[in-house]
Amino acid sequence: MPQALDRLKETPSQTAGPYVHIGLVPSLAGVAGVYPADPGGAIVAPETPGERIRIEGRVFDGDGGLVRDALIESWQADANGIYNAPLDPRQGRCAPGFFGWGRCATDFASGAFAFETIKPGPVPGPRDSMMAPHICLWIVARGINLGLSTRLYFPEEEAANAVDPILRRIENPQRRRTLIAQALETEGDGRGYRFDIRLQGEGETVFFAT
Amino acid sequence: MSDTSAGDRAVSERVGSNLRPQADPLIPRDHAWHPPALAPAYKTSVLRSPQRPLVAHEATLSESTGPVFGPESLGPLDNDLLRNYALDGAPIGPRILVHGRLRDERGRGVPGALIEIWQANAGGRYRHRNDGYLAALDPNFGGCGRTLTDAEGRYVFRTVMPGPYPWPNNVNDWRPAHIHFSIFGSGFGQRLITQMYFEGDPHIPLCPILNAIPDAQAVEQLIAPLDMAATAPMDARAYRFDLVLRGRRSTYFETRPEGN
Ligand SMILES: [Fe+2]
């Protein structure tokens, strides 16, 4: 589509660099006391209805090395597929205490990231489609020049995944599988999933452009 | 698509009678305006750049919507880096104001947007457990700040001029002085992180991170000019850094003669 001549150009991206924690999750950098808490730590409130889930994973580079300085943000709908956002006209019916946005970083030592949330519901997609339950993820780090967008889907949602309009854009089933989290054996309440992100090479995660 | 009816039914039953929400779709991103994933002169990008092409799809409700941060989530000193970490005095270094306007590609101000920044101190040292540069930490400087844009999309921070610093890339690479910016729009698909540079910095043409951006005009967009008009006399110089986020196609309004 041709661009209108009066259109401004988007500000170009630059890498988040190795010290992204100072600005976005200051306590991890060792900067205490500026903000009461690191932003993005609470995706849901205790009263939010929905199935409790825990997502954990690691980020790998093209050599299979751990990326220990990545920052990951998540955005998702509530258990009924409603976003807590003014641009979702159903926002008034969004679950109580549900925020939907989270932020975490990979651990400096283990390289692992984790976040706790509820399982989202299916979300209306383009035209008459329905999107399977999914969590949008955005990954930035030193060496990543433009934040990478991907989606996490759920392994137990085979029927919904099969008709998801975004997953269907990925022709190779092996590549599609990079977006399906792996169910973990868990003790106690809630389900656990593993979602590893491979930035490059074999098993490279599918990243999206919109 | 007839082969999908069972799955379609599975999801639509659970959604029940939800109306089908529509948000104005985001304008597709012009990737040529951004640095490519692989920029060999920036060595860390070599192993951290996807090799497969990005899978393109139209922005859906999941990209068109995004979190909203209310004023109650910010403190009164959050945008004042001269004071938000200070223990017993002002940080060392030239005092500056950094201000500008956040707009979308259609030129409209973006109100209520969360902007977060982080930077090195005047000596080029970050307050970060992984930064071991020789330059001293400043006990009165933390290096992070945040603010919400006003009704017209304007923002301002007060801080000190960050120093250039050496970094391991080639044997003698120095970053130009810069401030890191993280910006939220109204949709998660607008999410952006960038860096602001300072007019006249001789390190600018030497920087492999900045010069990974292919278009010279795009590079220029990241260089903030001195803004004497906004300077606080006898107090702080000002730099102006305007920001642009992806816009939205207003498919409905575009057909009307009065436009938007
Ligand atoms: Fe930096």
Side-chain angles (χ1 to χ4, degrees):
Chain A
M1 171 171 332
Q3 289 222 326
L5 289 175
D6 59 349
R7 200 169 274 169
L8 300 174
K9 297 296 290 185
E10 186 185 12
T11 298
S13 172
Q14 291 275 266
T15 179
Y19 307 124
V20 58
H21 314 86
I22 300 172
L24 303 192
V25 278
S27 80
L28 300 184
V31 179
V34 179
Y35 308 145
D38 289 344
I43 301 171
V44 301
E47 73 269 22
T48 309
E51 185 189 356
R52 261 55 198 171
I53 62 171
R54 182 176 194 275
I55 315 277
E56 59 182 61
R58 292 168 296 175
V59 182
F60 295 96
D61 70 17
D63 265 350
L66 286 168
V67 176
R68 293 182 170 90
D69 51 11
L71 182 110
I72 297 159
E73 290 187 356
S74 65
W75 175 240
Q76 66 168 91
D78 73 4
N80 291 318
I82 298 175
Y83 282 104
N84 182 17
L87 288 170
D88 189 331
R90 309 164 301 164
Q91 187 187 20
R93 288 189 280 137
C94 194
F98 179 76
F99 190 34
W101 173 80
R103 180 184 271 170
C104 61
T106 55
D107 187 81
F108 295 137
S110 70
F113 69 86
F115 56 96
E116 281 166 23
T117 182
I118 55 164
K119 187 176 170 187
V123 172
R127 289 165 288 277
D128 283 335
S129 66
M130 284 303 296
M131 297 190 283
H134 65 277
I135 300 178
C136 291
L137 299 175
W138 186 68
I139 301 113
V140 295
R142 175 173 67 100
I144 296 178
N145 286 324
L146 175 65
L148 296 168
S149 300
T150 188
R151 286 183 174 202
L152 177 158
Y153 286 85
F154 295 87
E156 67 279 8
E157 295 284 346
E158 277 180 46
N161 289 344
V163 296
D164 179 271
I166 306 305
L167 284 176
R168 288 174 64 129
R169 296 195 64 85
I170 307 162
E171 280 162 28
N172 180 335
Q174 243 171 317
R175 296 222 71 214
R176 210 177 299 149
R177 236 170 277 141
T178 67
L179 303 187
I180 315 290
Q182 192 190 326
L184 295 176
E185 300 283 331
T186 50
E187 306 139 30
D189 295 344
R191 274 202 264 195
Y193 299 90
R194 173 178 304 288
F195 189 74
D196 288 335
I197 295 163
R198 290 183 170 77
L199 298 178
Q200 186 187 90
E202 201 183 325
E204 183 176 303
T205 301
V206 169
F207 299 105
F208 292 109
T210 60
Chain B
M1 296 176 192
S2 55
D3 58 326
T4 63
S5 50
D8 276 335
R9 239 177 285 123
V11 283
S12 52
E13 270 162 23
R14 287 153 55 185
V15 168
S17 59
N18 283 341
L19 61 116
R20 298 199 70 82
Q22 297 278 320
D24 285 339
L26 293 169
I27 296 168
R29 179 169 260 159
D30 177 5
H31 281 263
W33 197 249
H34 294 278
L38 173 62
Y42 175 22
K43 291 184 175 169
T44 315
S45 76
V46 172
L47 286 175
R48 294 186 173 192
S49 43
Q51 291 167 330
R52 306 294 202 109
L54 301 177
V55 173
H57 69 83
E58 64 188 299
T60 72
L61 194 64
S62 303
E63 292 78 30
S64 296
T65 56
V68 172
F69 301 89
E72 73 286 348
S73 50
L74 271 65
L77 294 182
D78 283 3
N79 68 336
D80 187 356
L81 286 72
L82 295 184
R83 289 169 69 204
N84 70 14
Y85 195 83
L87 296 171
D88 56 1
I92 303 289
R95 298 159 65 87
I96 58 169
L97 301 168
V98 174
H99 76 114
R101 189 160 176 228
L102 174 64
R103 290 185 290 176
D104 68 17
E105 289 170 290
R106 302 176 64 98
R108 294 176 289 209
V110 182
L114 178 65
I115 300 180
E116 299 163 290
I117 66 168
W118 65 101
Q119 64 167 90
N121 68 22
R125 173 78 183 269
Y126 282 99
R127 184 172 291 281
H128 189 290
R129 59 176 94 251
N130 296 341
D131 187 6
Y133 181 35
L134 295 169
L137 281 169
D138 182 335
N140 292 310
F141 191 71
C144 64
R146 60 184 176 179
T147 193
L148 292 173
T149 57
D150 72 10
E152 277 80 50
R154 292 180 205 285
Y155 74 90
V156 61
F157 289 98
R158 199 162 74 135
T159 185
V160 294
M161 182 94 154
Y165 58 84
W167 61 297
N169 187 56
N170 289 302
V171 290
N172 189 23
D173 275 327
W174 293 73
R175 293 304 320 282
H178 61 276
I179 299 176
H180 296 266
F181 274 69
S182 157
I183 308 126
F184 285 84
S186 47
F188 198 54
Q190 291 169 298
R191 200 72 185 82
L192 185 70
I193 280 183
T194 190
Q195 302 182 28
M196 176 199 121
Y197 303 89
F198 293 84
E199 176 185 15
D201 188 329
H203 293 289
I204 284 175
L206 307 175
C207 178
I209 290 178
L210 176 54
N211 292 295
I213 297 172
D215 190 301
Q217 271 182 292
V219 170
E220 204 58 39
Q221 233 178 316
L222 297 184
I223 303 174
L226 177 69
D227 182 2
M228 280 303 285
T231 290
M234 306 305 285
D235 179 349
R237 291 179 304 151
Y239 283 86
R240 179 164 183 133
F241 188 46
D242 289 327
L243 294 157
V244 181
L245 289 180
R246 293 173 69 185
R248 295 173 188 273
R249 275 199 312 268
S250 54
T251 44
Y252 174 66
F253 290 107
E254 256 166 4
T255 60
R256 303 206 308 191
E258 65 270 33
N260 51 51

